[in-house]
Amino acid sequence: MSQAVFPPTDQPISVPPMDRYNQELIENLHPPDWSNPEPAPCYNLVVIGAGTAGLVTAAGAALLGAKVALVEKHLMGGDCTNVGCVPSKTMIRSARVVADIKYAEKFGVGTSHYIDIDFPAVMERLRRIRAAISLHDSAKRFQQEFGVDVFFGNACFSGRNTVEVAQKTLRFKKAVIATGSSPKKLSIPGLEEVQYLTNENVFSLTRRPNRLAVIGGGYIGCELAQTFRRLGSEVILLQKGSHLLGREDADAAAIIQKTFVREGIELILEANIHQVERQDVDKVIYYEANGKQNQLHVNEILVGVGRSPNVEDLNLESVGVKYDKQKGVIVNDYLQTTNPRIYAVGDVCMEWKFTHAADAAARIVVQNALFSVLGLGRKKLTSLTMPWCTYTDPEVAHVGMYPEQAQDQGIEIDTYYIPLNEVDRAIIDGEAEGFVKVHVKKGTDKILGATIVARHAGEIINEITLAMTNNLGMKAIAKTIHPYPTQAEAIRKAADAYSRTRLTPLVKKITSSWLSWQR
């Protein structure tokens, strides 16, 4: 076994700007005066990483009676609390208020044409809300409420059943790697030298960039491009592909693309960036698009092109845990690594890089690592029905298969399509641009997948996910009463469309004969 190389312990944590809210955040998630406890003789479970996956794993195991150690090198809460879901959706909410004011006149509400956007106040609200929510992930809560031993420092496997952290050795029966992911880096000449924004530092801004370039048209790039545009920045989005949200339903992507153009976001599609350099106060992007060379001058560059798993400095080789720098830790369907004593969960090993996916998978890890005897009772990752949502306006939510995936598997489907301009509540709300698509196995009511484009698609998709998880089909949805008027009524309309397909000529003939006989 190779000798472990331990990274140095962390320097004091700082989250700019160091106002009272960020000080509160640090006090909750990495207290400056924290003293690591003396390790127990042996832990049922040592969890490395205190993001969503690690927190749910640690809390779930501890609540079931396990002795648990949780290790975090930076801030508990991981990306979601600190630089992901919580700050981004807080910022998105402010941006939606701006959009509501801008379009208020179509509802008969007069407003001045000038909207006073106080960007520093928007970001202060973000920090205040993030600090308040961070209490749920705090070190003191996990120690006092759940009985978890919380250690701060860089963790590294040092033996077949030991982890080293801050000069302390933690012995384990089982371990879980939950170290998450980081923003993927681009090999564009000059990009590192000019300094750029990612989700890890964009929420520390206190001044609005006047002119912002966003590289990447996936969910991160799209959400933040629209948000900054609504908050007053001039935004140029460069996308390598021919359209935004390349992995999503093409009709959904088209609506988002149309919305962005209408809101004044400049889209540069099929862009190939050659170089970035600084010229005085500007950052200059040299790129090619549509066969033409061009350059773009901006104040800031935001890169949102995906995530890379955090697999470095864990000494995984010494404990026989295989990993790939792009795909992350290699796990089987039970989230077990190539070392049967060690599991992995969350962004570090899963293709689904969502907070709710990490939460759901962590529950599987607790069961499989601690309560499965001789393989009995183990749960599979592939058994999960996983929805997701891109929080643009309108939102794009999806669950299950896309038609292309069904076709690749030789499954014939029927698709029921309901545009929102046929849904009364969507018309009333002035939110009729969007749709519900539900894909079912041909000749049955079995739901295989769905895509929803609506302002609150992330809320509406849950009904489809619930149905799929519990093997309920379109018949069950058609029998379910939906309050009128709601936008979720679009799902019932899709179910009614399925029901009408059952009224075959033979069925109509039989019912007509029956009614004639009763006259």
Side-chain angles (χ1 to χ4, degrees):
M1 182 177 293
S2 61
Q3 185 175 358
V5 179
F6 303 120
T9 55
D10 291 341
Q11 298 299 315
I13 297 294
S14 175
V15 180
M18 282 295 283
D19 61 1
R20 58 174 174 154
Y21 301 120
N22 280 347
Q23 290 180 39
E24 180 184 348
L25 182 82
I26 293 169
E27 182 62 36
N28 284 334
L29 304 181
H30 193 142
D33 59 351
W34 186 268
S35 295
N36 287 337
E38 283 302 312
C42 187
Y43 290 97
N44 297 109
L45 202 64
V46 169
V47 182
I48 303 174
T52 298
L55 292 173
V56 175
T57 300
L63 285 171
L64 292 170
K67 184 62 178 174
V68 179
L70 177 63
V71 185
E72 173 54 50
K73 68 177 181 179
H74 188 52
L75 292 170
M76 295 179 66
D79 269 17
C80 180
T81 299
N82 297 291
V83 294
C85 308
V86 171
S88 67
K89 277 52 185 180
T90 306
M91 200 174 177
I92 285 170
R93 184 65 184 94
S94 294
R96 283 196 176 191
V97 170
V98 175
D100 287 341
I101 296 172
K102 184 176 180 180
Y103 298 114
E105 288 185 1
K106 73 177 184 179
F107 296 95
V109 179
T111 62
S112 66
H113 292 288
Y114 175 73
I115 302 175
D116 183 14
I117 301 171
D118 187 343
F119 188 80
V122 169
M123 302 310 283
E124 181 179 0
R125 175 179 181 269
L126 180 158
R127 296 191 297 274
R128 172 171 54 81
I129 289 175
R130 180 174 61 182
I133 290 176
S134 71
L135 188 63
H136 302 307
D137 300 339
S138 68
K140 291 178 181 177
R141 179 181 182 229
F142 270 72
Q143 180 191 58
Q144 296 171 4
E145 186 174 330
F146 301 125
V148 173
D149 285 352
V150 177
F151 295 82
F152 287 104
N154 291 295
C156 180
F157 287 100
S158 55
R160 67 181 184 87
N161 65 341
T162 57
V163 168
E164 197 83 6
V165 55
Q167 288 79 52
K168 295 183 183 292
T169 300
L170 313 182
R171 299 187 179 279
F172 63 82
K173 292 182 179 179
K174 299 286 178 64
V176 173
I177 303 166
T179 48
S181 63
S182 301
K184 186 175 291 184
K185 293 187 176 183
L186 294 175
S187 56
I188 299 173
L191 182 61
E192 294 293 333
E193 287 73 18
V194 302
Q195 299 182 333
Y196 58 92
L197 300 170
T198 69
N199 74 294
E200 291 190 341
N201 57 6
V202 68
F203 303 115
S204 293
L205 290 176
T206 54
R207 295 178 59 186
R208 177 183 58 212
N210 291 327
R211 190 168 164 83
L212 173 70
V214 177
I215 300 176
Y219 73 94
I220 295 174
C222 284
E223 288 180 6
L224 291 176
Q226 187 180 43
T227 297
F228 274 95
R229 177 63 189 140
R230 288 180 165 186
L231 293 176
S233 296
E234 184 178 352
V235 176
I236 307 94
L237 192 156
L238 298 100
Q239 164 73 331
K240 191 174 183 179
S242 59
H243 59 88
L244 303 179
L245 299 175
R247 297 183 179 181
E248 278 298 345
D249 178 282
D251 294 334
I255 289 177
I256 300 305
Q257 197 158 308
K258 181 180 176 182
T259 301
F260 279 19
V261 172
R262 184 173 63 240
E263 294 189 1
I265 297 173
E266 181 181 349
L267 300 180
I268 302 176
L269 303 176
E270 297 183 343
N272 185 14
I273 301 173
H274 298 304
Q275 184 181 352
V276 178
E277 69 176 20
R278 184 181 292 278
Q279 290 183 8
D280 297 325
V281 297
D282 285 350
K283 298 174 182 181
V284 185
I285 300 173
Y286 297 90
Y287 68 93
E288 179 184 346
N290 298 320
K292 296 181 179 180
Q293 304 289 334
N294 213 328
Q295 57 182 267
L296 180 65
H297 292 248
V298 295
N299 304 122
E300 294 286 357
I301 299 171
L302 172 64
V303 176
V305 292
R307 312 286 299 174
S308 296
N310 295 328
V311 293
E312 305 294 337
D313 302 324
L314 293 170
N315 199 29
L316 298 177
E317 297 88 350
S318 71
V319 287
V321 173
K322 292 184 179 179
Y323 67 94
D324 179 277
K325 289 186 178 181
Q326 300 301 319
K327 297 180 180 180
V329 175
I330 307 301
V331 295
N332 61 19
D333 204 10
Y334 304 105
L335 292 167
Q336 193 173 37
T337 72
T338 48
N339 181 330
R341 299 165 63 95
I342 300 174
Y343 291 73
V345 65
D347 283 12
V348 74
C349 65
M350 290 162 47
E351 186 176 351
W352 295 321
K353 298 193 186 314
F354 313 117
T355 295
H356 53 280
D359 182 306
R363 299 163 193 262
I364 290 177
V365 161
V366 172
Q367 171 68 26
N368 293 351
L370 298 180
F371 300 103
S372 173
V373 181
L374 299 176
L376 298 176
R378 290 194 298 177
K379 297 181 179 179
K380 294 182 177 182
L381 183 66
T382 52
S383 68
L384 298 176
T385 301
M386 188 60 61
W388 58 83
C389 183
T390 299
Y391 295 92
T392 48
D393 188 9
E395 297 174 353
V396 179
H398 181 82
V399 65
M401 288 185 179
Y402 293 99
E404 298 80 8
Q405 292 173 316
Q407 184 177 4
D408 290 344
Q409 295 182 31
I411 302 173
E412 293 188 71
I413 65 169
D414 290 318
T415 296
Y416 298 94
Y417 173 85
I418 304 296
L420 289 190
N421 60 18
E422 295 181 4
V423 179
D424 291 355
R425 180 58 183 271
I427 298 170
I428 291 166
D429 289 344
E431 299 169 3
E433 189 171 31
F435 60 79
V436 168
K437 280 186 187 181
V438 182
H439 310 297
V440 304
K441 187 175 181 181
K442 193 173 186 64
T444 76
D445 76 332
K446 181 179 177 61
I447 302 171
L448 299 179
T451 296
I452 299 175
V453 181
R455 199 170 204 203
H456 299 286
E459 307 288 346
I460 301 173
I461 198 72
N462 293 324
E463 182 175 1
I464 298 292
T465 307
L466 177 67
M468 292 177 66
T469 302
N470 292 279
N471 294 315
L472 299 174
M474 297 294 268
K475 295 176 187 176
I477 292 177
K479 292 189 296 184
T480 302
I481 299 172
H482 292 67
Y484 175 87
T486 58
Q487 291 196 24
E489 193 183 6
I491 294 177
R492 182 193 58 80
K493 285 179 174 288
D496 285 347
Y498 160 78
S499 296
R500 287 193 292 273
T501 65
R502 301 170 66 199
L503 296 174
T504 63
L506 177 60
V507 171
K508 289 182 179 179
K509 183 177 181 180
I510 294 172
T511 56
S512 178
S513 299
W514 168 256
L515 292 172
S516 297
W517 179 78
Q518 287 190 317
R519 291 193 191 111

